[in-house]
Amino acid sequence: AAIAGSDELLPDPKLHGGGLHETPAGGMFHVHRDFDRHIRHGLHNKMVFITYLNQGWQAAWGSALELWNTREQVRAIQPEFGTSVLLQHGPKSYHGHPQPMVAPDGRTRRSVACYYYQNPHAETQRQKRISSIFLFPNRYPRLSRAARRVLPPILYQAALLTSWRD
């Protein structure tokens, strides 16, 4: 939560837009800003976590991740093995590797990415939450807790079934 600025982030288990990424020699990715909402469930895109998987990467091959504001490049990150980037989504979070990669034939630029989302209405929805409503409420909660502590589970369950028939 301290790094991300939120403790209510949800990873995307289906990795929409995430997963393994691979760029072959000559490949590039224009400077862009990522999508703002998940295509299926509409949650807000808050950030992407990228880890590079390129052992023995050489800067001369190009293809560094360039971070831009709306006017200029502010940083370049080499896609070296184990380097990770946590990139928050926002109106100025432009990034890409716009120059064609000049790696030797057969050499690719690889990374794995996972997007994290947030429900902007979570607090309001929690306030409207309705707890479980039992059809057969427990009339003797203290007795029930005591019975659960001392009875074997099979006898406790049998006692519950008998009390529901009454």
Side-chain angles (χ1 to χ4, degrees), residues 7-77:
D7 58 356
E8 298 193 9
L9 293 176
L10 302 167
D12 181 1
K14 299 211 175 190
L15 296 174
H16 169 74
L20 294 172
H21 295 158
E22 185 171 38
T23 304
M28 56 187 275
F29 202 33
H30 292 287
V31 175
H32 66 285
R33 190 175 77 199
D34 288 336
F35 54 92
D36 68 339
R37 294 175 195 245
H38 192 281
I39 193 168
R40 305 240 7 207
H41 51 61
L43 294 176
H44 288 203
N45 176 7
K46 297 306 283 185
M47 63 186 58
V48 62
F49 184 71
I50 305 167
T51 299
Y52 291 99
L53 307 172
N54 308 298
Q55 291 185 343
W57 190 263
Q58 295 180 22
W61 298 343
S63 201
L65 175 65
E66 295 181 11
L67 305 179
W68 286 67
N69 61 24
T70 54
R71 296 179 309 279
E72 62 190 356
Q73 179 186 332
V74 294
R75 181 144 189 224
I77 301 168

Side-chain angles (χ1 to χ4, degrees), residues 5-161:
S6 174
D7 58 356
E8 298 193 9
L9 293 176
L10 302 167
D12 181 1
K14 299 211 175 190
L15 296 174
H16 169 74
L20 294 172
H21 295 158
E22 185 171 38
T23 304
M28 56 187 275
F29 202 33
H30 292 287
V31 175
H32 66 285
R33 190 175 77 199
D34 288 336
F35 54 92
D36 68 339
R37 294 175 195 245
H38 192 281
I39 193 168
R40 305 240 7 207
H41 51 61
L43 294 176
H44 288 203
N45 176 7
K46 297 306 283 185
M47 63 186 58
V48 62
F49 184 71
I50 305 167
T51 299
Y52 291 99
L53 307 172
N54 308 298
Q55 291 185 343
W57 190 263
Q58 295 180 22
W61 298 343
S63 201
L65 175 65
E66 295 181 11
L67 305 179
W68 286 67
N69 61 24
T70 54
R71 296 179 309 279
E72 62 190 356
Q73 179 186 332
V74 294
R75 181 144 189 224
I77 301 168
Q78 292 298 323
E80 297 168 344
F81 184 80
T83 298
S84 294
V85 177
L86 184 61
L87 181 61
Q88 290 190 328
H89 177 74
K92 295 181 181 178
S93 59
Y94 289 94
H95 59 284
H97 55 97
Q99 301 303 315
M101 188 175 78
V102 293
D105 285 341
R107 186 68 193 234
T108 60
R109 176 188 188 270
R110 294 182 177 149
S111 63
V112 61
C114 181
Y115 285 88
Y116 290 83
Y117 299 91
Q118 188 174 47
N119 178 353
H121 308 291
E123 183 61 34
T124 303
Q125 290 172 347
R126 272 194 300 274
Q127 291 171 3
K128 294 179 181 180
R129 182 181 176 272
I130 298 172
S131 294
S132 300
I133 299 172
F134 293 90
L135 183 59
F136 304 106
N138 185 350
R139 290 178 267 171
Y140 308 104
R142 286 185 178 169
L143 179 60
S144 181
R145 282 192 298 273
R148 178 171 236 149
R149 285 190 211 118
V150 297
L151 291 176
I154 194 165
L155 291 178
Y156 179 75
Q157 291 297 323
L160 283 178
L161 290 175

